[in-house]
Amino acid sequence: MKQTECTTILVGKKASIDGSTMIARSEDGGRTIIPEGFKVVMPNEQPKHYESVISHQKIDDSDLAQTPLRYTSAPDVSGKNGIWAAAGINSDNVAMTATETITTNSRIQGVDPLLDPKDGGLGEEDFVTLTLPYLHSAFDGVRRVGYLVEKYGTYEMNGMAFSDKDTIWYLETIGGHHWIARRIPDDAYVIAPNRLNIDEFDFDDPDNFAASSDLKDLIKKYHLNPDREGYNMRHIFGSSTIKDAHYNNPRAWYIHNYFDPDFGGNPGDQDQAFICHANRLISVEDIKWAESSHYQDTPYDAYGDQGTPEQKKTFRPIGINRNFETHILQIRNDVPAGLAGVQWLAFGPNTFNSMVPFYTNVTETPESFQTTPKFNLSKIFWLNKLTAQLGDTNYRVYGELEDAFEQKSLAQCHKIEHDTDEAAKDLKGEDLEKALNAANDKMAKTVYNNTVDLLGQMVEEGHGLMTLKYDLLD
């Protein structure tokens, strides 16, 4: 079973620099490398009969009877543990990212236990495949996943996000068959690490909050609420552990202080707010930097020179060797609908890669992003893994090369995107898809070639830094 430990970032349309909605997540794993790819799933490829690989849960054919939409995805290319589609945007410009592994506590597990996968239930393996092709709005995602969780149950705690051009909803599963969801205010952002994240909740505000129909009664019946007033879902259903203080909370704390230097607080704070507001409008570059971060300019930076060896290992960073795929799903409001969906995508450790803004109104994906399960340097997943592992040996030297590479790559992709937006704004149907396929290929080749150049520069710089050397003048 694939273990995923991710960091989610959500940005409302009035909080973003260009008026788009953005939902982002780094898809992280364990010690074993999990190659991730990029795929377009056509309606005729969507399963009509579905059975999970991990839990062997069968989905009733009636729940797959709707006409599916085309959508993009970032699957596990091995397929050994199922599809794990991770994230994408469908042809109605609705986006979904799933899932963020989150925490729970013994009180709710004693009331509504998670399923044993031997007995069925759904998990991260399944949610995007069973949900995204049937959505016509962000809130459709809440309804669909809520229905699936209540009917089939789940064997793990998960968070997931949905967006359209106007709204973002974030949903968290609760126990085996319950769930909660909150609409993200347009002017707000969210940082959601591997904990139960939704805090303040209002059962009397259906425009902004949603939950299993019996959840309020369940909380009362089983005395689950530790607070004297109101409903804080993190207090009721989540955790507040030493692991949270070292593994989860510091990631949120660091990015909060990047988006708002007045945020303050301490890395281990357990009650950092779910809904937050930045001191500026947030860009794609801000999100990528956040997803690549490792506590720079603090004693906790593994690459820094401020802390002791112990401090450098105190907190889990966001940018880490276990980043295997990271995406920013952007629905834009300043272009025609056929151009609005953009899936920014990067493979490998975020500290050493670059995002590529792929149009999602397409029928194919670039060859270099069609990852192979085995090591293959013609595929950017494996190329990025190589540059990251070499870069990690001397970050002081290689980090500057990577910064220049990323700045160059993002600028070139922005230029291709701007040119394509202008050239394709009046195109429709197959003509538009052809133009966007070509633009995606051009961006993929540009970043792939830049990454090859980066690797060459790293080899040249590293030649004189090798330990295995001997010079009569030494």
Side-chain angles (χ1 to χ4, degrees):
M1 187 183 303
K2 184 166 74 167
Q3 179 185 18
T4 51
E5 301 167 335
C6 317
T7 306
T8 294
I9 300 177
L10 315 175
V11 180
K13 66 179 182 180
K14 292 183 180 178
S16 70
I17 197 170
D18 63 351
S20 63
T21 58
M22 293 188 284
I23 61 176
R25 184 171 59 91
S26 62
E27 188 179 9
D28 309 338
R31 293 183 178 181
T32 301
I33 295 174
I34 304 168
E36 310 284 350
F38 183 39
K39 181 179 180 180
V40 177
V41 182
M42 303 301 287
N44 63 350
E45 298 175 298
Q46 180 67 7
K48 293 296 184 182
H49 314 283
Y50 185 89
E51 181 177 344
S52 301
V53 172
I54 292 173
S55 67
H56 300 288
Q57 176 66 60
K58 293 183 179 180
I59 302 301
D60 293 342
D61 291 351
S62 59
D63 289 330
L64 303 169
Q66 298 179 49
T67 302
L69 301 173
R70 183 191 66 215
Y71 63 100
T72 56
S73 68
D76 174 354
V77 299
S78 75
K80 293 179 181 178
N81 292 313
I83 299 172
W84 296 79
I89 301 175
N90 70 26
S91 55
D92 264 9
N93 288 332
V94 180
M96 177 181 181
T97 179
T99 67
E100 182 78 30
T101 304
I102 60 174
T103 56
T104 184
N105 62 51
S106 58
R107 294 189 303 277
I108 182 59
Q109 288 304 308
V111 174
D112 182 17
L114 292 170
L115 279 66
D116 186 321
K118 295 178 183 177
D119 300 323
L122 303 177
E124 183 171 353
E125 170 199 344
D126 314 298
F127 280 116
V128 171
T129 299
L130 296 176
T131 304
L132 182 56
Y134 308 107
L135 305 184
H136 303 282
S137 72
F139 191 67
D140 279 352
V142 174
R143 281 191 290 249
R144 173 81 176 177
V145 170
Y147 167 79
L148 293 172
V149 168
E150 290 181 33
K151 180 173 181 177
Y152 298 104
T154 180
Y155 51 82
E156 58 190 13
M157 293 282 289
N158 283 314
M160 57 197 82
F162 314 92
S163 64
D164 53 40
K165 67 182 180 65
D166 293 315
T167 61
I168 298 173
W169 280 84
Y170 181 73
L171 179 148
E172 293 182 312
T173 61
I174 302 295
H177 292 87
H178 291 81
W179 57 274
I180 53 175
R182 182 167 184 180
R183 184 185 185 276
I184 309 307
D186 294 344
D187 63 348
Y189 77 88
V190 164
I191 309 296
N194 301 116
R195 65 182 183 198
L196 196 138
N197 289 282
I198 296 176
D199 49 18
E200 302 302 323
F201 197 89
D202 187 351
F203 283 101
D204 297 321
D205 182 4
D207 292 334
N208 295 293
F209 299 86
S212 307
S213 60
D214 66 336
L215 194 66
K216 187 176 181 180
D217 292 337
L218 183 129
I219 293 170
K220 181 179 180 180
K221 178 179 179 180
Y222 292 99
H223 313 292
L224 300 177
N225 191 353
D227 296 333
R228 297 184 186 278
E229 296 181 358
Y231 295 90
N232 183 313
M233 295 305 189
R234 196 183 306 162
H235 294 171
I236 297 171
F237 298 118
S239 62
S240 182
T241 65
I242 296 299
K243 179 179 179 180
D244 289 324
H246 285 258
Y247 195 86
N248 294 322
N249 305 337
R251 283 182 274 161
W253 165 82
Y254 187 69
I255 303 308
H256 285 317
N257 279 280
Y258 173 65
F259 285 157
D260 178 12
D262 295 328
F263 187 87
N266 297 304
D269 286 349
Q270 301 283 11
D271 276 328
Q272 297 173 50
F274 178 63
I275 301 296
C276 294
H277 297 83
N279 72 342
R280 62 188 184 281
L281 297 174
I282 297 171
S283 67
V284 164
E285 282 81 0
D286 287 325
I287 298 176
K288 174 57 168 69
W289 187 91
E291 294 284 11
S292 305
S293 64
H294 40 90
Y295 304 113
Q296 296 94 307
D297 293 329
T298 77
Y300 315 115
D301 183 3
Y303 293 137
D305 54 11
Q306 295 185 30
T308 65
E310 291 75 20
Q311 286 177 309
K312 294 172 184 288
K313 297 180 180 179
T314 302
F315 302 131
R316 192 270 209 201
I318 297 177
I320 197 169
N321 67 315
R322 295 184 280 110
N323 301 139
F324 293 133
E325 173 269 320
T326 302
H327 50 266
I328 304 171
L329 307 178
Q330 182 182 34
I331 311 297
R332 302 185 293 167
N333 281 293
D334 59 348
V335 294
L339 300 167
V342 177
Q343 182 161 349
W344 294 78
L345 187 61
F347 292 142
N350 291 325
T351 308
F352 299 95
N353 63 21
S354 179
M355 286 275 182
V356 184
F358 291 119
Y359 292 96
T360 56
N361 185 15
V362 293
T363 55
E364 58 188 38
T365 56
E367 183 67 27
S368 62
F369 278 74
Q370 295 175 20
T371 308
T372 52
K374 292 186 177 181
F375 187 81
N376 181 344
L377 284 179
S378 71
K379 307 302 181 183
I380 199 164
F381 177 93
W382 294 109
L383 183 62
N384 283 345
K385 284 295 297 176
L386 178 59
T387 56
Q389 288 179 224
L390 178 57
D392 184 71
T393 63
N394 193 327
Y395 182 75
R396 187 179 297 276
V397 172
Y398 300 130
E400 292 187 9
L401 295 176
E402 196 285 329
D403 287 343
F405 147 77
E406 187 169 0
Q407 182 85 348
K408 176 183 177 181
S409 296
L410 286 172
Q412 290 175 327
C413 284
H414 276 308
K415 181 65 167 61
I416 295 169
E417 185 181 37
H418 294 324
D419 291 345
T420 303
D421 285 348
E422 180 62 28
K425 63 183 179 182
D426 296 322
L427 297 179
K428 304 290 182 183
E430 292 183 2
D431 290 338
L432 177 59
E433 291 170 356
K434 183 178 179 180
L436 300 186
N437 283 334
N440 284 355
D441 279 340
K442 185 175 182 180
M443 289 187 285
K445 289 175 182 176
T446 297
V447 174
Y448 178 87
N449 290 335
N450 288 349
T451 309
V452 172
D453 290 344
L454 170 64
L455 179 60
Q457 294 168 22
M458 295 169 80
V459 170
E460 291 179 8
E461 288 290 334
H463 171 70
L465 302 175
M466 292 178 64
T467 300
L468 191 64
K469 62 181 180 178
Y470 185 83
D471 192 319
L472 290 175
L473 298 179
D474 284 348

